[in-house]
Amino acid sequence: MSTTSKSPRTVALVALAVGKDALAPYSHLCSPKKFTQAQLFACLVLKEFFKTDYRGIAAILADSTDLRQAIELQSVPHYTTIQKACPRLLRNANVQQLLDQTLRRAHPRSRQTHRPRVKRSAVDSTGFEAHSTSHYFVHRRARNGHDRHTTTYRTFPKLALLTDCSSHLVLAALGLRGPGPDITHFERIVCQAYGRVEMQTLLADAGYDGEWVHEVARHDLGICTIIPPKIGRPTDKAPTGYYRRLMSQRLHLTRYGQRWQVETSISMIKRRLGSAVNARGYWSQCRAMMLKAIAHNILILYAPAEWFPLVVQ
């Protein structure tokens, strides 16, 4: 088998290894100890991989001996076991540990005391469908067939991502609810990524335009930010603020075109793992989106050949 194959067995092996490194074997000393937390996490990743629900992944595991062997399952967990484990496994602290482990496996040569260096990174956000028949974008409708400029805004699950432009790995992620301005979550997501990697240049679209954004990134974190100064009404005057004026003068000399790599990462997540989240509540939707971000990193990682047991003829 190819080490770069994205077969379900490969995904299961990588997910199990990441779960073992990031999660405790069991959630409590008095737990039944029938399934480890890493095994249940691998089941959740496979659920996203197959774009199915809890009943569906339980049925797939029951039919697939290879997947059960990859996850080291002696028996198939009931679908309610996976469903009840999801809120516990995808708490914010666990999510951050899981993202940390995916990046450590992506940069195995980096020292434990030093953060891996990322030359160019980009940040953006996207909306997800709350169920299979809705749309996250703004719905436009006509009132009595005459007023065609009336707009109706509906809330939707929103995922903010900060990704590596070269590898498309997710460096940081935030589950939010839209619609809303992107600039409000800039400091949170950049500080989250700053704890994992050393970013040299950060690219963003005009939704993150603001003088304080440049000051926080450049002065406090030492990150060079490249953001087009297009927020506000169109005018011939120079933008206010030192860094916004600098962007208007030198943006064409930078590698700003690499910002589209974050759009590629978003497209990869939606094509591979689906553009809808099977959740209704706010926190359930946030957990579902964060699981997609972790599963995306796992799909990029590969399983070394020694993870596959030899088949005796």
Side-chain angles (χ1 to χ4, degrees):
M1 178 182 289
S2 173
T3 58
T4 58
S5 173
K6 294 303 183 293
S7 66
R9 180 177 172 82
T10 308
V11 174
L13 286 169
V14 179
L16 181 66
V18 170
K20 286 181 177 180
D21 291 340
L23 303 171
Y26 303 100
S27 60
H28 195 271
L29 292 175
C30 298
S31 63
K33 297 181 175 60
K34 190 174 182 181
F35 308 104
T36 65
Q37 293 197 108
Q39 290 174 326
L40 295 175
F41 169 71
C43 294
L44 290 174
V45 173
L46 287 175
K47 180 179 76 71
E48 292 297 320
F49 177 80
F50 287 109
K51 300 180 184 178
T52 185
D53 54 8
Y54 297 107
R55 291 177 183 266
I57 190 58
I60 291 173
L61 290 173
D63 295 337
S64 176
T65 305
D66 289 342
L67 288 181
R68 294 199 303 271
Q69 291 177 350
I71 310 177
E72 303 171 4
L73 290 174
Q74 300 299 324
S75 61
V76 178
H78 195 263
Y79 75 92
T80 56
T81 302
I82 306 174
Q83 182 266 328
K84 292 178 181 179
C86 181
R88 181 179 69 252
L89 296 176
L90 297 180
R91 294 172 181 170
N92 183 61
N94 290 340
V95 166
Q96 303 307 320
Q97 289 291 333
L98 291 166
L99 278 175
D100 288 344
Q101 290 301 325
T102 58
L103 295 179
R104 287 174 186 171
R105 288 186 173 273
H107 302 276
R109 296 183 179 180
S110 62
R111 298 180 181 178
Q112 296 294 331
T113 57
H114 292 78
R115 297 170 296 165
R117 181 172 297 180
V118 175
K119 187 175 182 180
R120 275 186 293 270
S121 56
V123 60
D124 202 358
S125 64
T126 184
F128 283 84
E129 299 174 2
H131 49 83
S132 59
T133 59
S134 67
H135 300 279
Y136 75 87
F137 50 80
V138 176
H139 291 261
R140 301 184 182 275
R141 67 180 183 182
R143 182 183 298 172
N144 299 326
H146 300 290
D147 187 1
R148 298 187 179 276
H149 298 285
T150 302
T151 60
T152 303
Y153 293 88
R154 298 179 61 180
T155 59
F156 55 84
K158 182 178 178 181
L159 178 64
L161 295 174
L162 197 153
T163 63
D164 185 350
C165 291
S166 61
S167 64
H168 300 122
L169 284 167
V170 173
L171 306 179
L174 288 175
L176 307 166
R177 175 164 287 181
D182 290 340
I183 197 172
T184 56
H185 61 254
F186 176 83
E187 189 170 2
R188 283 187 293 163
I189 195 168
V190 171
C191 290
Q192 183 187 137
Y194 180 80
R196 296 191 177 103
V197 297
E198 181 181 346
M199 295 177 289
Q200 295 183 350
T201 304
L202 178 62
L203 311 172
D205 61 13
Y208 297 90
D209 178 29
E211 186 68 15
W212 70 268
V213 170
H214 294 283
E215 292 176 353
V216 168
R218 292 171 180 259
H219 296 175
D220 299 343
L221 305 178
I223 304 171
C224 177
T225 48
I226 301 177
I227 306 172
K230 296 183 178 180
I231 200 72
R233 295 181 179 179
T235 178
D236 295 332
K237 297 181 180 179
T240 58
Y242 171 78
Y243 292 110
R244 296 186 72 237
R245 285 196 299 270
L246 187 66
M247 291 294 104
S248 65
Q249 297 169 1
R250 301 184 181 180
L251 185 67
H252 64 285
L253 302 176
T254 65
R255 298 290 298 274
Y256 180 71
Q258 289 294 307
R259 191 203 69 83
W260 293 102
Q261 298 298 336
V262 68
E263 303 285 355
T264 301
S265 299
I266 292 172
S267 177
M268 292 168 64
I269 291 175
K270 291 188 174 182
R271 283 185 290 107
R272 289 176 167 181
L273 306 174
S275 60
V277 292
N278 296 324
R280 293 184 179 274
Y282 171 73
W283 294 112
S284 298
Q285 291 175 351
C286 290
R287 287 193 294 267
M289 290 185 291
M290 297 302 293
L291 179 59
K292 288 182 183 291
I294 299 171
H296 166 75
N297 280 8
I298 289 174
L299 288 175
I300 293 178
L301 298 176
Y302 67 92
E306 59 267 20
W307 289 10
F308 297 95
L310 295 177
V311 178
V312 179
Q313 299 293 339

